[in-house]
Amino acid sequence: IVMTQSPATLSVSPGERATLSCRASQSVATRLAWYQLKPGQAPRLLIYDASTRATGVPARFSGSGSGTEFALTINSLQSEDFAVYYCQQCSEWPPRGEGTFGQGTKLEIK
Amino acid sequence: DVQLVESGGVVVQPGGSLRLSCAASGFNFGYYTMHWVRQRPGKSLEWVSLFSWDGITTFYADSVKGRFTISRDNGKNSLFLQMNSLRPEDTGLYYCASEREQFFKYWGQGTLVTVSS
């Protein structure tokens, strides 16, 4: 399974909405997670099972999709939301190495 | 609070060896399958290895199979990665992560491994 994220870079103004996409080369049902990475910090699980928010994740983060098409939507962007976001499939387990995660989307301030 | 703290990353020559450690606290370490995930420069995240919670099962990415060995000490709440025959392409930031239902629930901040002559 190959995970493809788009766009590679997304420029959005604070307060606006960002929608990040993740596509799987074959169905992963809802076995998909989203992570946030910031330099010097531990990666953070945001969404699992495609649409379930992890503990402590603000309600402005939402996940949707099933099968091969997924989206992470961030409403009312805050300054702390500008980071790199990765999707991960776990339909194949154990993981294979490269291909478990997408290539990432960098969310930058417009 | 859950904490995962990696250590052991240094600069090492190609062909050399290194042992990474991950100290866990704030959760029942022995109940969780643990993983190593790396990020090479300019690349995405790449899963490296896992050690099951029951101490029975290990798996490795093809890129490290036969060179890396994962281990754990539940009495010391610690995860390890023995890295042998290191290559320049092993350079990267190595994270340990705890698994929940095949998602990576908690992560450390990573330790940097540089393989260079």
Side-chain angles (χ1 to χ4, degrees):
Chain A
I1 299 175
V2 177
M3 307 303 293
T4 303
Q5 291 185 242
S6 61
T9 303
L10 183 61
S11 299
V12 183
S13 300
E16 295 190 340
R17 174 188 298 172
T19 301
L20 290 65
S21 297
C22 176
R23 174 178 292 178
S25 60
Q26 63 189 74
S27 177
V28 299
T30 57
R31 302 297 289 159
L32 186 109
W34 290 93
Y35 301 88
Q36 179 190 65
L37 269 72
K38 296 180 181 180
Q41 296 187 20
R44 181 189 186 191
L45 173 65
L46 298 173
I47 301 287
Y48 63 94
D49 284 339
S51 61
T52 303
R53 270 191 305 277
T55 303
V57 175
R60 64 180 181 272
F61 290 88
S62 63
S64 62
S66 65
T68 62
E69 300 284 344
F70 301 88
L72 173 69
T73 300
I74 313 170
N75 289 309
S76 301
L77 277 165
Q78 307 295 305
S79 57
E80 62 265 29
D81 300 335
F82 293 96
V84 182
Y85 293 84
Y86 292 92
C87 61
Q88 174 233 340
Q89 63 84 13
C90 61
S91 179
E92 288 183 328
W93 203 259
R96 293 186 298 110
E98 285 185 318
T100 299
F101 296 90
Q103 292 304 304
T105 291
K106 181 181 181 181
L107 180 59
E108 64 177 27
I109 299 175
K110 185 175 183 180
Chain B
D1 281 3
V2 171
Q3 272 204 311
L4 293 169
V5 180
E6 302 92 339
S7 61
V10 292
V11 179
V12 61
Q13 292 192 338
S17 297
L18 203 54
R19 189 191 197 210
L20 305 183
S21 300
C22 171
S25 61
F27 66 106
N28 286 320
F29 179 79
Y31 291 169
Y32 284 80
T33 293
M34 297 296 296
H35 298 253
W36 288 99
V37 177
R38 70 184 178 185
Q39 185 167 33
R40 295 185 279 182
K43 301 286 189 179
S44 177
L45 297 168
E46 177 189 9
W47 175 79
V48 173
S49 181
L50 75 81
F51 202 120
S52 64
W53 65 272
D54 57 8
I56 294 174
T57 307
T58 60
F59 286 106
Y60 299 90
D62 288 344
S63 57
V64 307
K65 200 173 296 182
R67 300 187 299 121
F68 290 11
T69 302
I70 192 171
S71 60
R72 64 190 294 165
D73 183 338
N74 287 348
K76 295 183 178 179
N77 289 345
S78 294
L79 181 73
F80 306 99
L81 187 67
Q82 178 67 40
M83 309 165 68
N84 297 331
S85 302
L86 281 161
R87 305 166 180 168
E89 56 265 34
D90 294 318
T91 293
L93 191 58
Y94 284 72
Y95 298 101
C96 69
S98 65
E99 178 198 313
R100 176 186 182 275
E101 297 179 1
Q102 300 175 343
F103 300 114
F104 303 108
K105 184 173 184 181
Y106 295 115
W107 300 65
Q109 291 188 321
T111 186
L112 183 62
V113 173
T114 303
V115 184
S116 173
S117 54

